[in-house]
């Protein structure tokens, strides 16, 4: 990413980034909060949704401030700038793997409804989340191990001179000063051949195939008049169809938000200087905005989230609870409420 923007355009970019950051943090904190207070949201699918929400919170709280810093073009040490750029890569990869885990989870829910709860346990879901973050860190931090532009900068003589107040030494050779920009430190070979073609595009295509198979299986089951694995198949698979559509929409928005930036990376690799700077900034804003849209999708498409968001807003933010309405711990009212929540876990209409 280059910093060659007009001051007015750069100011507009920074304002937009700040708005996206605030929306992303607030919206995804609401998602985590909703899962925390609503027992009916605590199944494996929503465990992966929480993982996705945490990555989006980090985008708003860490990545966007770093992106604003990079857009200013500050003078920093090479590896400090590289670590900032790698943070973006780690969080992006964690979002992709969380979406893949969600797709696989919904596939198993439709494919093996009778044995789903025995196969997909909370422990296995937790392991899947841990492994997705571990793989994301490995993939995103590879530039720190050497696949970066430091050697190329030395060959081109593009390194900045050392600060006058700092005596030159071995550190200046191994970690020199640079103008901190994404394309300065991150190799486009890594971004295109390894990141995009290896870890972004294949999972997206795999998820596309998984959701196509999910919709095929659901419609096939809905067309059956009798089914032995569930007492009310149309109700069960109708719920699965609605939730699958919502999660497929999340996947679609992710692809629409991130593919333009990756396509511009490909253009930059094969035709340096062909991508307008303003277009790159628009693609960056679009990719960051994806972190703010998922809570909106959940609120409009999933009843349980909409109900939980309304409860958070009314009870915890506006403090509109009448006296005695909130159940006391151990009371009969609390017991009845927990019973209703447990019943909601099996309520196929509440999605």
């Amino acid at each position: 990413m280059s910093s060659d923007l007009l001051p007015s355009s750069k100011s507009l970019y920074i304002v937009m980034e700040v708005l996206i950051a605030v929306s992303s943090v607030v919206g995804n904190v609401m998602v985590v909060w909703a899962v925390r207070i609503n027992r009916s949201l605590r199944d494996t699918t929503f465990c992966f949704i929480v993982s996705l929400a945490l990555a989006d919170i980090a985008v708003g709280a860490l990545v966007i401030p770093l992106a604003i810093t990079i857009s200013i073009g500050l003078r920093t040490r090479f590896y400090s700038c590289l670590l900032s750029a790698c943070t973006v890569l780690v969080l992006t990869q964690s979002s992709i793997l969380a979406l893949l885990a969600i797709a696989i989870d919904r596939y198993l829910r439709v494919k093996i409804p009778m044995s789903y709860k025995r196969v997909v346990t909370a422990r296995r879901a937790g392991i899947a989340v841990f492994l997705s973050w571990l793989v994301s860190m490995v993939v995103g931090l590879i530039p720190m191990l050497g696949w970066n532009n430091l050697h190329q900068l030395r060959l081109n003589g593009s390194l900045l001179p050392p600060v006058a107040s700092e005596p030159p030494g071995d550190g200046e050779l191994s970690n020199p000063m640079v103008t901190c920009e994404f394309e300065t430190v991150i190799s486009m070979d890594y971004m295109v051949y390894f990141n995009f073609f290896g870890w972004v595009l294949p999972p997206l295509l795999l998820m596309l195939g998984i959701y196509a198979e999910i919709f095929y299986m659901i419609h096939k089951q809905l067309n059956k008049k009798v089914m032995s694995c569930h007492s009310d198949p149309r109700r069960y698979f109708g719920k699965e169809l609605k939730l699958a559509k919502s999660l497929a929409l999340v996947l679609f928005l992710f692809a629409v938000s991130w593919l333009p930036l990756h396509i511009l990376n490909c253009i930059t690799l094969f035709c340096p200087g062909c991508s307008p700077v303003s277009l790159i900034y628009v693609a960056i804003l679009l990719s960051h905005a994806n972190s703010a849209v998922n809570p909106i999708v959940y609120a409009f498409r999933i009843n349980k989230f909409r109900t939980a968001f309304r409860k958070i807003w009314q009870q915890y933010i506006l403090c509109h609870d009448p006296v005695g309405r909130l159940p006391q711990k151990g009371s009969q009212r609390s017991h009845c409420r927990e019973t209703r929540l447990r019943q909601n876990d099996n309520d196929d209409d509440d999605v």
Side-chain angles (χ1 to χ4, degrees), residues 242-310:
K242 184 177 180 180
L243 186 55
K245 286 181 178 178
S246 301
L247 298 175
L249 177 59
V250 172
L251 172 62
F252 172 78
L253 293 174
F254 182 90
V256 169
S257 299
W258 279 99
L259 284 179
L261 186 58
H262 283 286
I263 292 172
L264 288 176
N265 287 338
C266 295
I267 295 174
T268 300
L269 175 63
F270 299 116
C271 182
C274 293
S275 301
V277 174
S278 57
L279 188 59
I280 294 176
Y281 273 88
V282 171
I284 291 170
L285 283 173
L286 185 61
S287 66
H288 292 166
N290 178 253
S291 298
V293 301
N294 288 346
I296 299 174
V297 174
Y298 302 150
F300 280 95
R301 298 281 305 179
I302 303 177
N303 289 337
K304 289 180 180 180
F305 269 117
R306 184 162 59 250
T307 301
F309 290 163
R310 189 181 297 115

Side-chain angles (χ1 to χ4, degrees), residues 15-323:
V15 170
M16 292 296 293
E17 286 282 38
V18 171
L19 292 176
I20 292 171
V22 173
S23 301
S24 178
V25 171
V26 172
N28 286 285
V29 165
M30 292 277 284
V31 171
V32 177
W33 197 349
V35 175
R36 173 65 181 83
I37 68 172
N38 193 335
R39 291 173 61 93
S40 64
L41 289 173
R42 298 180 199 172
D43 64 13
T44 52
T45 298
F46 296 106
C47 173
F48 299 130
I49 287 178
V50 167
S51 178
L52 179 60
L54 292 176
D56 289 337
I57 291 171
V59 169
L62 294 176
V63 172
I64 292 180
L66 290 174
I68 294 174
T69 302
I70 289 175
S71 72
I72 298 173
L74 294 179
R75 177 189 175 112
T76 64
R77 292 289 182 180
F78 179 87
Y79 281 102
S80 298
C81 182
L82 182 61
L83 181 59
S84 301
C86 287
T87 303
V88 181
L89 302 176
V90 170
L91 294 173
T92 304
Q93 193 60 49
S94 69
S95 298
I96 293 172
L97 294 181
L99 290 170
L100 179 59
I102 290 171
I104 294 173
D105 176 77
R106 301 322 298 181
Y107 173 81
L108 294 175
R109 176 97 178 189
V110 175
K111 183 69 174 179
I112 51 171
M114 286 292 290
S115 54
Y116 168 80
K117 289 187 177 181
R118 185 176 70 252
V119 173
V120 185
T121 62
R123 180 175 179 274
R124 289 173 178 172
I127 293 174
V129 170
F130 172 77
L131 290 177
S132 69
W133 278 94
L134 181 62
V135 171
S136 300
M137 286 188 285
V138 171
V139 172
L141 294 177
I142 280 180
M144 296 292 297
L145 303 179
W147 197 348
N148 53 57
N149 281 341
L150 181 58
H151 180 66
Q152 190 65 34
L153 291 174
R154 286 174 176 153
L155 290 178
N156 296 339
S158 303
L159 299 175
L160 296 178
V163 180
S165 60
E166 296 181 2
D170 294 338
E172 185 61 40
L173 297 176
S174 60
N175 192 17
M177 301 297 294
V178 296
T179 299
C180 187
E181 297 173 352
F182 190 86
E183 293 179 17
T184 300
V185 295
I186 295 292
S187 167
M188 282 297 111
D189 287 339
Y190 163 84
M191 285 301 300
V192 173
Y193 295 121
F194 183 79
N195 186 270
F196 180 50
F197 289 150
W199 289 95
V200 175
L201 192 57
L204 288 178
L205 294 176
L206 178 59
M207 283 183 275
L208 178 63
I210 290 174
Y211 277 108
E213 180 66 15
I214 288 173
F215 291 135
Y216 171 76
M217 289 190 297
I218 290 177
H219 283 293
K220 183 178 178 180
Q221 295 296 341
L222 287 176
N223 290 331
K224 288 184 178 181
K225 294 183 178 180
V226 179
M227 181 179 169
S228 60
C229 67
H230 200 276
S231 59
D232 192 351
R234 295 192 63 82
R235 191 179 182 191
Y236 177 84
F237 285 103
K239 167 207 162 185
E240 291 301 322
L241 178 61
K242 184 177 180 180
L243 186 55
K245 286 181 178 178
S246 301
L247 298 175
L249 177 59
V250 172
L251 172 62
F252 172 78
L253 293 174
F254 182 90
V256 169
S257 299
W258 279 99
L259 284 179
L261 186 58
H262 283 286
I263 292 172
L264 288 176
N265 287 338
C266 295
I267 295 174
T268 300
L269 175 63
F270 299 116
C271 182
C274 293
S275 301
V277 174
S278 57
L279 188 59
I280 294 176
Y281 273 88
V282 171
I284 291 170
L285 283 173
L286 185 61
S287 66
H288 292 166
N290 178 253
S291 298
V293 301
N294 288 346
I296 299 174
V297 174
Y298 302 150
F300 280 95
R301 298 281 305 179
I302 303 177
N303 289 337
K304 289 180 180 180
F305 269 117
R306 184 162 59 250
T307 301
F309 290 163
R310 189 181 297 115
K311 176 182 177 181
I312 292 171
W313 177 255
Q314 293 177 349
Q315 295 185 5
Y316 298 97
I317 297 179
L318 298 181
C319 299
H320 281 175
D321 270 322
V323 176

